[in-house]
Amino acid sequence: MAAHVQPLTKRRATKRSAWSALTSHYKTVSKLHLRQLFADDPKRGERMALEAVGLYLDYSKNRVTDETLKLLVQLAEELGLRERIDAMFSGQKINITEKRAVLHIALRAPKDASILVDGKNVVPEVHSVLDKMADFSNRVRSGAWKGHTGKQIRNVVNIGIGGSDLGPVMAYEALKHYSDRDMTFRFVSNVDGTDFAEAVQDLDPAETLFIISSKTFTTLETMTNAHTARSWSLAGLGNDETSVAKHFVAVSTNAAEVAKFGIDTANMFEFWDWVGGRYSMDSAIGLSTMVAIGPENFRSMLNGFHQMDEHFRTAPFEANLPVLMGLLAVWYNDFFGAQTVAVLPYEQYLKRFPAYLQQLTMESNGKHVTLGGKEVSRDTGPIYWGEPGTNGQHSFYQLIHQGTRLIPCDFIAFVKPLNPLGRHHDLLLANVFAQTEALAFGKTPEQVKAEGTPDWLVPHRVFEGDRPTNTILAEQLTPESLGKLVALYEHSVFTQGVLWDIDSFDQWGVELGKVLAQRIVPEIEDNAEPLLKHDSSTNSLIRRYRKLKQAQ
Ligand code: F6P
């Protein structure tokens, strides 16, 4: 066991006392309605808000009292959150199942910082890769980097999946306003051929650059798409193998596989095993983002990340944005039995943010055993989901307002619009505030009756309220504020994982399906009828597919 991890016996003992205080406290708090909490404390909305590094979090519309927050902070202290934060920031191997340090915070550390992994300062390498990325991005953006035929690169296609796709595509969409509009950016992830076919159908190979993004450079989907891209590119460039050097670059930790694929490692942008895939959008995996928005904006995004890192590392827990958000997520997950968290950005540019968060949160905290390998005693990682507002209001919000499930929601909004158009932004923000008000306070039967509603209709029109929300308000969506927002969720996920005593940085749960798929591929592709040894359902699905495929 790594030196930093507290002995299991100590963890268990402290765990019992802190959790049990909250269990009895929950019995009181769960009976208090937000209406009452606000009536009892007219300044609650001002008091239960926190501003740090330019993000304002209103957490007053949560089903908590001061005592709840005190106990949650106590829980975090007893479970060693402070020590675990220090362990992460100092490069200890807190990803114990993979024996790796977890250092996405080093990706945005300033040049003069020193963060040691196995005795070596990793910060200079980080900055040297950033400089290499900047040089490359500037050459592509300016047209100095030419394609094989001498034409300027106008299209960039990132091929990757999971963290090698979701971060880049989310960041590109989020920061489109800041991107070079003369260039086209596409993202191919799915092994479904349609993804590739649609992404390139209107592109000229002579003007198209592929960024093959894969930490391992062995991922089935990415390698399949990369080979297809190679054939597509070569076919459009007279099958001249020398064209690959001008139209393919790689982002990876695996130089040997990159070379094997045929990409010159001089055109490879490196990152390291201490960067988890879902924590990698600010590493070289963000190359497409940098080409789109330029090195200066990319560095400003890193600066935003770093500001939040420093806040997380140093602020007392009761005034620490990621810690508070993490504690609240645990409160609802483990005491109220909430199964999900809805993330609702009222910002069209953040349309892919919920999808990005799904990998960040669920691949990190979807775990059923503790660091010590014992079955967890509480539910872990809630399901994160969401859509940009106001669209969701006209579809699934019905269930959040009047359904039988408790769904804590994070509302995210910005004061200044990037596209000021008439009244649009005021209307958008009015909806954010209205939704959190409606969710918290609802509408009583008396209020419904007073509107002249017939008795039979009253129950249908009642809103119970007491639905918890966070509201995150920032000045404007910029590269810097995006960095802060992503780091906020990264560290909230970390906080939750510490409270559950799990490894938030491995992802063994994705392995079994990958292995089984590799076994099934030849069974599907072989001409001779294979001897199938799966269960009867899987066997008959394979047989049916083979039969119908052959009949075509
Ligand atoms: O599916 C699991 C996973 O390992 C993710 O964690 C990762 O982001 C993704 O696959 C892609 O991996 P790679 O970058 O190695 O291709």
Side-chain angles (χ1 to χ4, degrees):
M1 186 181 287
H4 66 275
V5 180
Q6 284 184 31
L8 210 57
T9 44
K10 188 171 169 214
R11 268 209 316 275
R12 286 229 191 93
T14 53
K15 203 168 160 177
R16 266 200 299 273
S17 74
W19 284 105
S20 64
L22 276 158
T23 304
S24 53
H25 173 72
Y26 164 76
K27 289 184 191 130
T28 317
V29 174
S30 57
K31 294 191 194 98
L32 299 173
H33 197 290
L34 279 168
R35 283 182 205 128
Q36 190 185 331
L37 291 171
F38 271 84
D40 292 349
D41 175 6
K43 292 216 175 295
R44 183 180 166 97
E46 292 145 53
R47 233 169 31 78
M48 289 194 170
L50 186 60
E51 185 164 14
V53 300
L55 294 191
Y56 178 82
L57 169 70
D58 175 350
Y59 59 95
S60 64
K61 294 191 184 98
N62 278 292
R63 295 177 65 176
V64 293
T65 63
D66 291 338
E67 178 67 7
T68 321
L69 295 168
K70 201 181 99 199
L71 289 172
L72 285 169
V73 165
Q74 202 175 308
L75 178 71
E77 279 161 0
E78 288 185 9
L79 293 175
L81 178 60
R82 174 64 59 208
E83 293 77 30
R84 296 291 299 283
I85 292 173
D86 291 345
M88 174 167 75
F89 277 77
S90 62
Q92 293 188 42
K93 297 194 175 167
I94 62 167
N95 175 357
I96 61 161
T97 71
E98 295 180 311
K99 298 189 174 64
R100 286 176 181 167
V102 174
L103 275 181
H104 38 281
I105 54 101
L107 299 169
R108 50 263 191 158
K111 245 185 186 144
D112 57 357
S114 170
I115 301 171
L116 303 182
V117 176
D118 295 328
K120 185 179 167 207
N121 181 10
V122 297
V123 178
E125 285 179 80
V126 167
H127 282 272
S128 123
V129 172
L130 278 172
D131 290 345
K132 183 174 169 183
M133 288 165 67
D135 174 59
F136 174 76
S137 301
N138 284 334
R139 281 194 288 152
V140 173
R141 287 164 64 85
S142 68
W145 177 290
K146 301 259 183 292
H148 181 62
T149 64
K151 278 191 174 177
Q152 187 170 339
I153 296 297
R154 303 217 170 267
N155 318 308
V156 174
V157 182
N158 184 76
I159 296 184
I161 197 163
S164 303
D165 166 71
L166 287 162
V169 72
M170 180 278 287
Y172 170 68
E173 291 294 346
L175 301 176
K176 205 176 204 167
H177 181 81
Y178 303 87
S179 71
D180 181 342
R181 299 302 181 121
D182 290 334
M183 295 186 72
T184 298
F185 291 83
R186 302 267 162 83
F187 299 84
V188 176
S189 53
N190 200 337
V191 76
D192 182 337
T194 297
D195 204 8
F196 181 82
E198 285 293 340
V200 299
Q201 56 89 22
D202 56 347
L203 304 186
D204 174 358
E207 298 180 340
T208 303
L209 174 84
F210 290 94
I211 302 178
I212 314 299
S213 298
S214 174
K215 182 173 171 180
T216 53
F217 229 72
T218 55
T219 305
L220 172 86
E221 292 90 337
T222 301
M223 296 328 294
T224 306
N225 280 318
H227 283 284
T228 302
R230 201 170 183 277
S231 308
W232 177 86
S233 179
L234 281 172
L237 297 169
N239 283 315
D240 184 344
E241 292 278 341
T242 62
S243 66
V244 172
K246 292 285 172 209
H247 293 269
F248 284 80
V249 297
V251 178
S252 188
T253 58
N254 190 345
E257 286 297 325
V258 169
K260 220 195 271 173
F261 178 84
I263 296 177
D264 184 346
T265 47
N267 294 336
M268 170 180 152
F269 299 83
E270 195 194 354
F271 65 118
W272 307 272
D273 74 355
W274 42 262
V275 183
R278 53 195 175 273
Y279 297 88
S280 67
M281 60 168 276
D282 47 346
S283 70
I285 288 290
L287 185 62
S288 58
T289 315
M290 198 193 264
V291 176
I293 64 173
E296 211 174 303
N297 279 323
F298 194 85
R299 285 187 194 274
S300 153
M301 182 180 81
L302 295 183
N303 175 31
F305 271 101
H306 180 64
Q307 288 178 52
M308 184 57 77
D309 293 343
E310 282 305 285
H311 166 71
F312 178 57
R313 190 176 67 81
T314 58
F317 290 165
E318 58 281 5
N320 192 311
L321 291 173
V323 171
L324 268 181
M325 290 204 30
L327 293 176
L328 288 167
V330 169
W331 175 237
Y332 293 118
N333 192 67
D334 292 331
F335 295 93
F336 284 80
Q339 305 267 321
T340 79
V341 176
V343 180
L344 309 164
Y346 278 62
E347 169 54 74
Q348 187 62 22
Y349 285 122
L350 287 183
K351 65 181 180 193
R352 297 287 286 161
F353 192 61
Y356 169 77
L357 278 188
Q358 286 185 324
Q359 187 197 11
L360 180 68
T361 59
M362 302 205 290
E363 205 172 67
S364 296
N365 285 341
K367 309 290 161 65
H368 75 112
V369 291
T370 63
L371 287 169
K374 298 269 186 306
E375 196 64 30
V376 292
S377 53
R378 318 186 166 264
D379 277 335
T380 60
I383 298 153
Y384 277 76
W385 59 286
E387 278 288 320
T390 58
N391 296 6
Q393 291 175 206
H394 297 272
S395 67
F396 55 80
Y397 278 38
Q398 165 65 38
L399 186 147
I400 305 180
H401 281 286
Q402 284 192 317
T404 55
R405 292 167 200 283
L406 184 81
I407 302 182
C409 304
D410 293 347
F411 285 78
I412 301 170
F414 298 87
V415 175
K416 287 192 203 157
L418 287 167
N419 293 296
L421 281 180
R423 298 170 64 214
H424 282 255
H425 202 64
D426 287 344
L427 297 179
L428 180 71
L429 271 280
N431 274 280
V432 177
F433 306 144
Q435 287 299 324
T436 66
E437 187 177 19
L439 287 163
F441 304 108
K443 203 171 186 184
T444 63
E446 294 70 38
Q447 288 171 314
V448 177
K449 272 185 209 153
E451 288 171 350
T453 310
D455 282 355
W456 67 268
L457 192 54
V458 170
H460 299 275
R461 302 201 55 175
V462 165
F463 289 72
E464 286 173 345
D466 221 11
R467 269 57 170 171
T469 59
N470 286 316
T471 304
I472 299 167
L473 206 53
E475 194 190 345
Q476 191 164 40
L477 179 59
T478 60
E480 186 180 324
S481 61
L482 180 71
K484 291 173 188 173
L485 195 59
V486 174
L488 169 66
Y489 278 93
E490 285 178 346
H491 298 319
S492 162
V493 164
F494 177 80
T495 300
Q496 295 170 46
V498 170
L499 265 60
W500 292 316
D501 190 26
I502 57 179
D503 189 336
S504 299
F505 301 103
D506 60 12
Q507 59 283 316
W508 298 105
V510 301
E511 294 302 322
L512 181 59
K514 283 189 198 172
V515 172
L516 293 182
Q518 290 293 6
R519 192 170 133 202
I520 293 173
V521 169
E523 294 171 346
I524 278 177
E525 289 184 334
D526 279 3
N527 287 332
E529 197 62 35
L531 176 65
L532 297 177
K533 291 186 180 162
H534 304 273
D535 58 276
S536 57
S537 160
T538 311
N539 285 347
S540 79
L541 286 166
I542 294 171
R543 280 193 201 108
R544 188 171 176 82
Y545 175 70
R546 283 182 60 90
K547 196 168 140 206
L548 294 177
K549 189 171 102 155
Q550 279 155 13
Q552 276 171 10

